[in-house]
Amino acid sequence: MSPAPLPESAIPEDGLDHFAARITAAVAPLINQQASALQLERPRQEEHGEFSLPCFRFAAGTGEKPPALAARLADAIEIADVEASAVGPFLNFRIASTAMAQVVLADAGREDYGSAKEGLTSIVEFSSPNIAKPMHVGHMRTTVIGAALARLFDHLGHKVIRINHLGDWGAQFGKLVAAWRRWGSEESLLTDPIDHLLKLYVRYHEEEEQDPTLGEDAKAAFQELESGEDNETRKTWIRFTQESLKEFQKVYDRFGISFDYLRGESWYEDKLEGLLAWLDSCGVTEESDGATIVDLTSEDIKTPCLVKTAHGTTLYATRDLAAARSRWDEFSFDQSLYVVGAEQTLHFQQFFAVLRRCGADWASRLEHVPFGLIRLAEGKLSTRAGRVISLKEVLDRAVELALAAVEEKNPELANKEEVAEIIGVGATMFHDLKHQRQKDVVFDWKEVLSFEGDTGPYLQYTYARCGSILRKAGKPADRDNFDSSLVAEESRELCIALGRLPQAIREAAQKREPMIVAQALLRIGAAGNVYYRENRVLGLEDPAQENARLVVLETLRNTLSMGLGLLGIRCPEEM
RNA sequence: GCACCCGUAGCUCAGCUGGAUAGAGUAUUGGAUUCCGAAUCCAAAGGUCAGAGGUUCGAAUCCUCUCGGGUGCACCA
């Protein structure tokens, strides 16, 4: 049960899509194809135009050789503002500069540029840090990628539900409460709650080995917690949760991220029995070594899914199953994404397979969106081995460096701290978002803290430059009296880059790959920098020319802020 | 042992469902500011796309194998 295909009308024709639609509509009938089936390609070489259609696969049907077909089509086709030409077996399309500038500069820069009305209900589960532990660089990717995907879906007209599936349940909280009873310090909890809780946890772990009574205490504490009674243990646990959330919220605020639901694993606590009963009624459970499992060999997975331990407690998978079912009942989603590290792929395969075995046809709407892990040069991240970098530390250092850069480059700037925050956080986020999800990344301070080249600050700088010129113009760009022919040739490269953003947005959402938008923005930024370098805007003799260039810069500026906004990155007016 | 992910320039990475001469950034070297912000722009140099087979009119892209790196494999999450 997959989501129904989108109606054609749901796909808007902003930017270059406008011309692509004209091209496919004109070509399709000549080769007996549906317009929607034609995939236009983007030629590598600029001289081959903006779009291209290799004719190899259609030539077979007509009995012609590909170059002959391409040549015949090139002759036969008439498309307004598009010139078709055959180069060997390729049918290439070049868009007339004036028409392109007209269309792109009118579309791009609108808040809804590249938006759609897909109307799907999409759940994005992301971030999901563990209570009482610090957020470290490892949480960066899920948080930033998940938030970006949510924004992309939102832009495409989805009803988006953002869920933070906090790790707030499990036996370790028994330990934590027990540790708190022994050594907890009210003062430390108030000054740095997560640090204090982490230290308690680590100490408990260490002393447990010497003193077995600690293990008993922890077990007892978790049982008190699981009982659901409103006892002292529960109060303590709630307090730890609240204190942790306060800390997490500081990071989310800096990232500009909000959630629709903060639902930790504990939220599904009262649904676990029902879930297990459901699994039983589906006849998929069996006993093995005292534990309750679901065999998945029929689903091609050798490892069974464990849903209940021999001690009778539930597991991660049980809670995820309960959560999925609860969300389906509540939201009837079209798609439900889990932005979680690739190391948990097996877990997701298992839990999806369990649902399939139960005959839940909606299981096909669940999707694990994996990403590669972050490692340090010294090795894998490890809290116990001390190989951690807290997220706060990364952001703070980036902001600190940004501040130094601002002091040096723009000492007159009034709100330096505020601007440095935008730049530093933006650099960190962009760095994470410009790479493919799946690849592992080795955390490298030098790269994360770089502000030159293919970086977030480069795009922010471009935005600020445009703003600076627009301010100095002293008047807004006049779009009612905009003559696109005055800038058509000089802005051609920029318009192409701007014009391709809508497709990048769609593709990024489809592939769950925000990088595609980040790369498109870098091309826009590069073209923009060349543009205002080579085309002076202010003090021109011809006011119509000046106005036309103001329109270009205003469009560039708005598009950058909209595009970076989709990635969750803000732009400073000056920097 | 089995399964999955990754391998493209010195480094970090793009390369779309197979398409035309494999592209950026960075580092290196050289150049650009009487002119809207040099966090910029221009240029040079830099690749046996890990290796070997196969499919195809065409392979960095798909298939198989080998090598190298990473991750996971029932009572943690």
Side-chain angles (χ1 to χ4, degrees):
Chain A
M1 187 158 131
S2 302
L6 301 171
E8 291 287 319
S9 60
I11 301 171
E13 289 169 7
D14 276 352
L16 292 199
D17 289 349
H18 179 83
F19 299 97
R22 285 191 201 173
I23 292 167
T24 51
V27 178
L30 298 180
I31 49 174
N32 278 323
Q33 298 282 330
Q34 295 289 324
S36 56
L38 287 189
Q39 304 265 355
L40 293 177
E41 293 184 2
R42 179 170 67 222
R44 294 184 189 208
Q45 304 293 320
E46 191 188 305
E47 70 256 28
H48 291 143
E50 285 67 58
F51 292 108
S52 164
L53 187 69
C55 292
F56 302 97
R57 74 193 69 187
F58 308 115
T62 64
E64 292 163 282
K65 298 229 180 222
L69 175 62
R72 185 168 66 79
L73 290 173
D75 277 347
I77 288 170
E78 290 260 354
I79 309 168
D81 305 316
V82 178
E83 182 195 334
S85 63
V87 178
F90 295 90
L91 184 57
N92 296 333
F93 302 95
R94 187 182 167 83
I95 302 167
S97 298
T98 302
M100 180 161 61
Q102 182 75 45
V103 169
V104 170
L105 294 174
D107 291 347
R110 290 192 330 247
E111 265 309 301
D112 63 349
Y113 183 48
S115 68
K117 297 187 174 118
E118 295 185 347
L120 304 175
T121 296
S122 301
I123 295 182
V124 184
E125 178 192 298
F126 65 102
S127 198
S128 313
N130 291 322
I131 297 298
K133 286 188 186 165
M135 285 180 87
H136 54 79
V137 283
H139 295 101
M140 178 86 184
R141 309 206 75 193
T142 169
T143 304
V144 169
I145 293 170
L149 287 176
R151 286 176 197 269
L152 287 167
F153 291 140
D154 194 46
H155 196 72
L156 293 173
H158 296 207
K159 177 172 184 255
V160 181
I161 299 158
R162 298 161 170 85
I163 300 181
N164 193 345
H165 192 63
L166 298 156
D168 65 352
W169 201 244
Q172 74 267 29
F173 291 98
K175 287 186 188 176
L176 203 57
V177 172
W180 168 257
R181 284 182 189 148
R182 283 172 192 248
W183 315 302
S185 150
E186 194 65 37
E187 195 191 339
S188 303
L189 188 69
L190 288 174
T191 48
D192 194 345
I194 291 184
D195 181 66
H196 183 53
L197 292 174
L198 182 66
K199 279 180 181 148
L200 285 178
Y201 186 68
V202 170
R203 181 171 172 192
Y204 206 82
H205 244 293
E206 288 165 0
E207 301 207 6
E208 198 178 0
E209 287 170 20
Q210 321 298 328
D211 182 357
T213 61
L214 268 71
E216 294 303 313
D217 286 359
K219 209 173 278 177
F222 186 54
Q223 271 164 9
E224 287 167 36
L225 196 55
E226 264 196 317
S227 71
E229 287 167 23
D230 186 20
N231 50 29
E232 197 56 38
T233 305
R234 175 161 288 262
K235 285 200 177 83
T236 307
W237 168 76
I238 288 174
R239 194 162 163 221
F240 291 167
T241 304
Q242 297 303 332
E243 291 303 323
S244 298
L245 278 174
K246 266 190 232 165
E247 290 300 306
F248 296 158
Q249 193 56 44
K250 289 179 190 166
V251 173
Y252 294 142
D253 284 345
R254 298 179 82 177
F255 282 146
I257 289 172
S258 61
F259 295 90
D260 299 292
Y261 297 97
L262 282 173
R263 284 184 184 170
E265 293 180 67
S266 64
W267 196 84
Y268 304 93
E269 202 186 339
D270 62 355
K271 297 172 174 56
L272 295 172
E273 261 182 56
L275 185 273
L276 287 167
W278 179 60
L279 293 180
D280 283 340
S281 73
C282 293
V284 299
T285 50
E286 50 191 275
E287 227 184 87
S288 172
D289 295 338
T292 308
I293 65 164
V294 179
D295 183 82
L296 298 171
T297 45
S298 66
E299 301 290 321
D300 243 18
I301 298 172
K302 287 171 189 159
T303 321
C305 184
L306 201 66
V307 293
K308 199 171 174 186
T309 69
H311 319 297
T313 57
T314 59
L315 292 117
Y316 186 41
T318 327
R319 295 192 276 276
D320 257 346
L321 283 162
R325 211 167 81 108
S326 152
R327 290 173 193 174
W328 172 246
D329 291 341
E330 185 173 0
F331 302 112
S332 299
F333 49 79
D334 293 289
Q335 52 183 12
S336 180
L337 274 48
Y338 298 85
V339 184
V340 178
E343 69 274 11
Q344 289 191 40
T345 299
L346 178 61
H347 162 72
F348 284 101
Q349 282 174 350
Q350 286 179 318
F351 117 64
F352 296 166
V354 169
L355 293 172
R356 281 202 302 277
R357 277 208 63 196
C358 289
D361 52 7
W362 49 270
S364 64
R365 301 184 177 201
L366 305 178
E367 183 182 336
H368 175 214
V369 179
F371 53 85
L373 46 75
I374 297 185
R375 287 178 305 136
L376 301 185
E378 310 86 67
K380 196 180 169 182
L381 291 170
S382 164
T383 311
R384 266 182 263 163
R387 283 196 302 268
V388 270
I389 301 176
S390 83
L391 206 38
K392 181 177 185 304
E393 185 188 353
V394 175
L395 295 179
D396 286 348
R397 270 180 77 169
V399 169
E400 188 186 320
L401 239 76
L403 184 60
V406 172
E407 295 280 8
E408 183 200 325
K409 293 165 194 284
N410 199 349
E412 305 298 305
L413 195 60
N415 50 346
K416 293 196 191 89
E417 274 82 12
E418 195 183 319
V419 169
E421 172 75 15
I422 295 175
I423 296 170
V425 173
T428 313
M429 293 175 85
F430 193 86
H431 175 261
D432 209 294
L433 288 167
K434 78 174 176 183
H435 300 114
Q436 276 182 43
R437 276 181 2 236
Q438 284 271 24
K439 300 199 177 180
D440 292 351
V441 293
V442 175
F443 186 86
D444 182 350
W445 280 106
K446 212 168 66 190
E447 271 177 49
V448 178
L449 303 181
S450 164
F451 301 155
E452 288 170 16
D454 281 354
T455 64
Y458 171 76
L459 295 175
Q460 291 171 324
Y461 170 77
T462 311
Y463 172 88
R465 283 284 313 265
C466 290
S468 167
I469 295 170
L470 288 163
R471 274 193 304 278
K472 283 180 179 157
K475 62 187 177 215
D478 177 4
R479 286 177 180 269
D480 294 332
N481 295 298
F482 166 57
D483 182 352
S484 66
S485 70
L486 295 174
V487 289
E489 292 308 327
E490 69 195 30
S491 72
R492 188 175 168 87
E493 288 308 308
L494 177 56
C495 284
I496 292 169
L498 289 167
R500 291 200 198 275
L501 186 61
Q503 196 196 335
I505 292 170
R506 278 201 305 279
E507 221 178 294
Q510 268 161 22
K511 295 184 173 167
R512 289 78 165 98
E513 195 66 274
M515 174 222 53
I516 294 172
V517 167
Q519 300 287 344
L521 291 173
L522 286 171
R523 284 192 287 273
I524 289 171
N529 269 290
V530 172
Y531 182 82
Y532 57 57
R533 176 102 193 162
E534 293 183 354
N535 301 283
R536 198 186 159 73
V537 175
L538 302 179
L540 300 183
E541 282 183 21
D542 181 359
Q545 180 77 48
E546 180 169 315
N547 180 55
R549 287 181 178 171
L550 284 173
V551 169
V552 175
L553 288 204
E554 188 185 77
T555 308
L556 171 59
R557 172 175 157 273
N558 292 352
T559 306
L560 284 173
S561 98
M562 188 278 283
L564 284 170
L566 288 176
L567 301 179
I569 297 169
R570 291 182 291 161
C571 289
E573 293 308 313
E574 292 179 70
M575 64 188 271

